[in-house]
Amino acid sequence: MDQAKVEFQKSLEVYKQTPTPEAMVNATYAGYDILTPYQDAGGNPYDVRTKCEGGSLCNPYMERIAEFANQPWIRTDLGVHIDSDFVLCSTDVQDSFISTGDELVDSSEWIPMILAAGVRVLNYAGDADLICNHMGNKAMMLNIQWPGNRGFAAAADKLWIVDGRALGEVRTFEGLSFLRVYGAGHMVALDQPAASLAMLAQWLDHGAIII
């Protein structure tokens, strides 16, 4: 994995210096290669606590969501008028993103504009997720270039307690919040439904995570 990381950094530097479609694709796949040894050993990039059990997102249960969504009455109620079925993860869509270089776009650069428009921003991650891990998410949040950068960096991580239970840790400064959800992988709502409901209710009702 260490060597793959080095190769990814080299590919990324080549892409930055010569942003051709070929360099773009090479850098994207080099990034994927970092996780290849872990996945080849049966590791679950969506939840480090478990082995990959197959199916979408390494969780056979997720296929039930696709089965539910593809029921005729669901499609009718949603107004779906195309013949193709709903899938959780489409390789065709992913390949299109890769071919256009979309996966290399740093979308964190848009967050300052969102904050400046008065829109509050919440980033949350389960603490057992690897592919979108809380450490990388937090590092990204700390690196956002906005007027509140120093204030957010100096803010304390505080326990998020709901009904007497510690469900996670939250850091907030002005309109920016980061929430680490305890005991959850990539699918936070599946692993911690009560915490997910509390998070949504607090954010929608108060525009903040209540501590």
Side-chain angles (χ1 to χ4, degrees), residues 108-132:
S108 69
E109 295 178 354
W110 303 334
I111 296 178
M113 294 183 287
I114 297 172
L115 290 167
V119 178
R120 302 177 71 83
V121 173
L122 169 65
N123 181 3
Y124 69 93
D127 63 1
D129 189 3
L130 175 60
I131 202 161
C132 296

Side-chain angles (χ1 to χ4, degrees), residues 112-190:
M113 294 183 287
I114 297 172
L115 290 167
V119 178
R120 302 177 71 83
V121 173
L122 169 65
N123 181 3
Y124 69 93
D127 63 1
D129 189 3
L130 175 60
I131 202 161
C132 296
N133 63 83
H134 69 92
M135 293 174 287
N137 272 274
K138 186 176 182 179
M140 179 271 292
M141 300 283 280
L142 290 167
N143 193 50
I144 294 172
Q145 301 305 305
W146 66 299
N149 175 275
R150 292 186 179 181
F152 185 78
D157 294 324
K158 298 181 179 180
L159 282 177
W160 178 43
I161 299 176
V162 178
D163 295 331
R165 293 178 55 218
L167 302 182
E169 298 173 9
V170 62
R171 175 182 297 213
T172 296
F173 183 77
E174 295 182 354
L176 187 64
S177 296
F178 175 69
L179 175 63
R180 170 187 174 184
V181 181
Y182 291 160
H186 192 68
M187 283 72 77
V188 174
L190 179 65

Side-chain angles (χ1 to χ4, degrees), residues 11-193:
S11 297
L12 192 59
E13 193 58 36
V14 169
Y15 166 68
K16 289 179 179 178
Q17 294 179 3
T18 311
T20 64
E22 181 181 6
M24 194 164 47
V25 172
N26 289 340
T28 302
Y29 280 117
Y32 289 154
D33 287 343
I34 295 175
L35 283 180
T36 297
Y38 176 77
Q39 292 178 283
D40 286 347
N44 184 345
Y46 306 102
D47 193 326
V48 298
R49 302 168 299 178
T50 66
K51 292 290 186 178
C52 185
E53 299 177 14
S56 294
L57 302 173
C58 287
N59 189 335
Y61 176 83
M62 301 302 290
E63 299 303 329
R64 296 174 63 181
I65 298 175
E67 292 172 4
F68 176 82
N70 283 314
Q71 293 179 97
W73 70 273
I74 292 291
R75 296 172 63 91
T76 299
D77 284 358
L78 293 177
V80 177
H81 302 297
I82 57 175
D83 293 332
S84 59
D85 288 341
F86 169 79
V87 294
L88 286 163
C89 298
S90 169
T91 53
D92 290 339
V93 173
Q94 182 182 32
D95 289 343
S96 294
F97 276 123
I98 292 173
S99 67
T100 59
D102 191 86
E103 293 204 10
L104 296 181
V105 174
D106 182 5
S107 56
S108 69
E109 295 178 354
W110 303 334
I111 296 178
M113 294 183 287
I114 297 172
L115 290 167
V119 178
R120 302 177 71 83
V121 173
L122 169 65
N123 181 3
Y124 69 93
D127 63 1
D129 189 3
L130 175 60
I131 202 161
C132 296
N133 63 83
H134 69 92
M135 293 174 287
N137 272 274
K138 186 176 182 179
M140 179 271 292
M141 300 283 280
L142 290 167
N143 193 50
I144 294 172
Q145 301 305 305
W146 66 299
N149 175 275
R150 292 186 179 181
F152 185 78
D157 294 324
K158 298 181 179 180
L159 282 177
W160 178 43
I161 299 176
V162 178
D163 295 331
R165 293 178 55 218
L167 302 182
E169 298 173 9
V170 62
R171 175 182 297 213
T172 296
F173 183 77
E174 295 182 354
L176 187 64
S177 296
F178 175 69
L179 175 63
R180 170 187 174 184
V181 181
Y182 291 160
H186 192 68
M187 283 72 77
V188 174
L190 179 65
D191 295 333
Q192 296 294 340

